[in-house]
């Protein structure tokens, strides 16, 4: 990963899933976070299943809420997507998703950049931390 971010896309965003957007027509994966996949289900505090992947996408949509999204490119992933830190209204989208429990710190890539937000979300039982879930990376490995 480059040590310095490069200017990335900016503009209106369309939400793909909880950690991926199209920004001004460019596919962008949020850097340093991993959100449940769109079809992924989790269990709430009472053990009832809920669509945590869809909930993560809605949370990202609410954060963007028609505002201009600005991104600083950090990398290109193996699928050719721009990997970037993105903000809307001055707020880092990935950091906020982790803090609200809709994504996890993707430590392998972030080197713990969002770990304090994840610890806070765990403590507050926010989002996926309210019940039982499979880490998105493990869910993908298992074939969904």
């Amino acid at each position: 990963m480059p040590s310095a971010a490069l200017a990335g896309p900016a503009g209106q965003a369309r939400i793909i899933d909880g950690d991926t957007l199209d920004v001004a027509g460019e596919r962008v994966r949020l850097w340093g976070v991993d959100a449940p996949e769109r079809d992924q289900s989790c269990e709430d505090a009472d053990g009832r299943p809920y669509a945590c992947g869809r909930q993560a996408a809605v949370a990202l949509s609410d954060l963007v809420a028609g505002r201009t999204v600005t991104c600083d490119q950090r990398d290109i992933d193996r699928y050719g997507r721009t990997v970037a830190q993105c903000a809307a209204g001055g707020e880092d989208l990935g950091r906020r998703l982790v803090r609200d429990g809709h994504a996890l710190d993707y430590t392998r890539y972030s080197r713990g950049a969002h770990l304090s937000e994840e610890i806070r979300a765990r403590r507050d039982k926010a989002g996926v931390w309210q019940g039982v879930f499979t880490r998105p990376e493990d869910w993908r490995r298992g074939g969904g």
Side-chain angles (χ1 to χ4, degrees):
M1 175 171 18
S3 59
L6 305 170
Q12 293 301 302
R14 184 174 62 86
I15 307 309
I16 305 302
D17 63 21
D19 55 24
T20 310
L21 326 89
D22 270 332
V23 179
E26 186 173 335
R27 186 68 50 109
V28 177
R29 171 85 160 72
L30 293 176
W31 174 83
V33 304
D34 197 17
E37 296 299 322
R38 183 170 284 284
D39 295 331
Q40 188 171 345
S41 183
C42 300
E43 290 182 13
D44 67 15
D46 295 322
R48 292 184 304 249
Y50 73 99
C52 57
R54 282 194 207 98
Q55 195 172 79
V58 167
L60 181 55
S61 181
D62 289 348
L63 288 173
V64 170
R67 295 183 289 182
T68 297
V69 173
T70 57
C71 299
D72 292 322
Q73 182 179 328
R74 301 290 296 258
D75 207 352
I76 300 288
D77 72 9
R78 63 183 173 159
Y79 304 108
R81 297 177 296 192
T82 296
V83 178
Q85 279 184 277
C86 298
E91 182 168 37
D92 183 300
L93 299 174
R95 184 174 302 278
R96 178 66 184 272
L97 288 168
V98 173
R99 185 173 71 227
D100 291 347
H102 298 296
L104 309 179
D105 177 61
Y106 213 170
T107 310
R108 176 180 351 157
Y109 300 105
S110 75
R111 297 191 176 134
H114 306 301
L115 196 52
S116 63
E117 284 80 12
E118 183 175 305
I119 290 167
R120 178 178 169 187
R122 284 185 202 187
R123 182 196 68 216
D124 294 344
K125 297 186 180 341
V128 297
W129 301 105
Q130 68 182 292
V132 177
F133 70 97
T134 302
R135 289 185 166 274
E137 183 174 32
D138 295 337
W139 192 85
R140 289 189 299 272
R141 266 195 217 116

